Amino acid sequence: MSETKILIGVIGGSGLYHLDNLTFVETVNPETPWGFPSSPITISRLPSGTLVGFLARHGIGHTISPSAVPGRANIAALKSLGARAILAFSAVGSLREEIAPGDFCLPSQIIDRTKGIRVSSFFTGNIVAHASFADPFSKKLSAWLEIKVAEALKKEGRDIKLHTDKTIVCMEGPQFSTRAESVMYRQWGGDLIHMSCIPEAKLAREAELSYALIATATDYDSWRPSEAGVTAADVFKTLQANAATSRFVAAYVLEELATGVAQADLMSIITEEEGSMNFSMMRRSSAEQDHPEAAQQLAYILPNYFGPSATKA
Ligand SMILES: CSC[C@H]1O[C@H](OP(=O)(O)O)[C@H](O)[C@@H]1O
Ligand SMILES: Nc1ncnc2[nH]cnc12
């Protein structure tokens, strides 16, 4: 296992297969109890010296379909490298006229329309937990990003809009929605649609990592009556430009997080979820004895509760 400790993990989505302008340190590929992550993790140094780890959600060559992304391995691998928070990027469809392709968005709520194909918990053995998920994105990190992503977009200079506090629908895919579904999601209050944040956000919460999503709009999905429904070609049209802006935004916000925030504030932002699983687990006191295999797996993501370095057992 790598000795280098990263502070933040970055998950790149469609079009975003690497970050820019960071100093390469090493590439690692940790095997977790849930297998290997989607891609090797590139560890890079920010100008301030802080280390970040990047992984490509669909693999470097985009070979992994949304339903087959190894979510548990991705989150576990980033946590094992030291990550306290995850900044995830995603290409999304817009369910609102005012959110145009090319715009950036910070969602605050999720409507889960995945179909149970994806394993969405680390607690699938005989140790049971019910994590709180009312606010699926970390509130402090998202609130901080609201200011910093806006600053980054201003510096970028193309007048790209940032929308905040939006509701994102996470559908199963890989096919896009029907027109009826797209219209229904609008009626439900959905603003954005994609195929990625479930189970990522749930797993990050179980691993007590702060998790926020920067969504970049690529298309208007299929709700506009007089327009053709979304195609992959529509998405590709804006994907490259969005990815270039995402790289700029990532470099800016990561360095700001590392240097532009007082240490106490930084820790308060990135450790918001730490300790949150303490009262989410059922019957933990006898877990190690009764279910040693499950406890051993969980020690990988929750070493404070399970395994030899547990302090909250
Ligand atoms: C390429 S169109 C559909 C695909 O794009 C998004 O991927 P990601 O979230 O990784 O950027 C969307 O969620 C779908 O998986
Ligand atoms: N319209 C859409 N539906 C689902 N996922 C998407 N990713 C990008 N655009 C999308």
Side-chain angles (χ1 to χ4, degrees), residues 12-15 17 38-39 55-67 69 74 195-196:
S14 297
Y17 307 110
S38 297
S39 76
L55 78 77
R57 182 182 290 121
H58 303 282
I60 299 294
H62 204 126
T63 50
I64 307 173
S65 174
S67 310
V69 169
N74 288 351
M195 307 176 190
S196 296

Side-chain angles (χ1 to χ4, degrees), residues 238-250:
T238 34
L239 211 52
Q240 293 316 318
N242 284 359
T245 313
S246 296
R247 280 192 276 273
F248 182 89
V249 167

Side-chain angles (χ1 to χ4, degrees), residues 17-164:
Y17 307 110
H18 63 92
L19 293 178
D20 267 352
N21 295 326
L22 306 178
T23 308
F24 174 79
V25 175
E26 63 172 322
T27 298
V28 294
N29 198 14
E31 183 171 15
T32 76
W34 300 277
F36 287 98
S38 297
S39 76
I41 296 172
T42 305
I43 299 182
S44 306
R45 201 177 296 286
L46 297 170
S48 58
T50 301
L51 297 177
V52 297
F54 175 88
L55 78 77
R57 182 182 290 121
H58 303 282
I60 299 294
H62 204 126
T63 50
I64 307 173
S65 174
S67 310
V69 169
R72 293 191 294 183
N74 288 351
I75 298 298
L78 290 171
K79 175 121 189 198
S80 77
L81 295 172
R84 312 293 283 275
I86 292 183
L87 193 55
F89 286 84
S90 174
V92 306
S94 165
L95 298 173
R96 301 287 157 194
E97 197 63 56
E98 66 276 16
I99 304 174
D103 288 0
F104 273 52
C105 312
L106 290 169
S108 56
Q109 281 297 325
I110 301 173
I111 295 174
D112 182 1
R113 281 276 299 166
T114 62
K115 304 262 167 88
I117 298 169
R118 310 170 184 195
V119 185
S120 60
S121 176
F122 286 106
F123 292 85
T124 52
N126 292 106
I127 299 175
V128 176
H130 302 281
S132 294
F133 201 56
D135 295 300
F137 301 104
S138 292
K139 290 174 90 172
K140 286 186 185 174
L141 184 57
S142 297
W144 182 84
L145 282 170
E146 195 171 323
I147 299 163
K148 293 297 163 182
V149 174
E151 273 177 27
L153 291 175
K154 199 163 177 206
K155 272 187 187 288
E156 199 266 355
R158 281 189 301 134
D159 208 16
I160 293 171
K161 274 205 189 115
L162 174 66
H163 307 266
T164 58

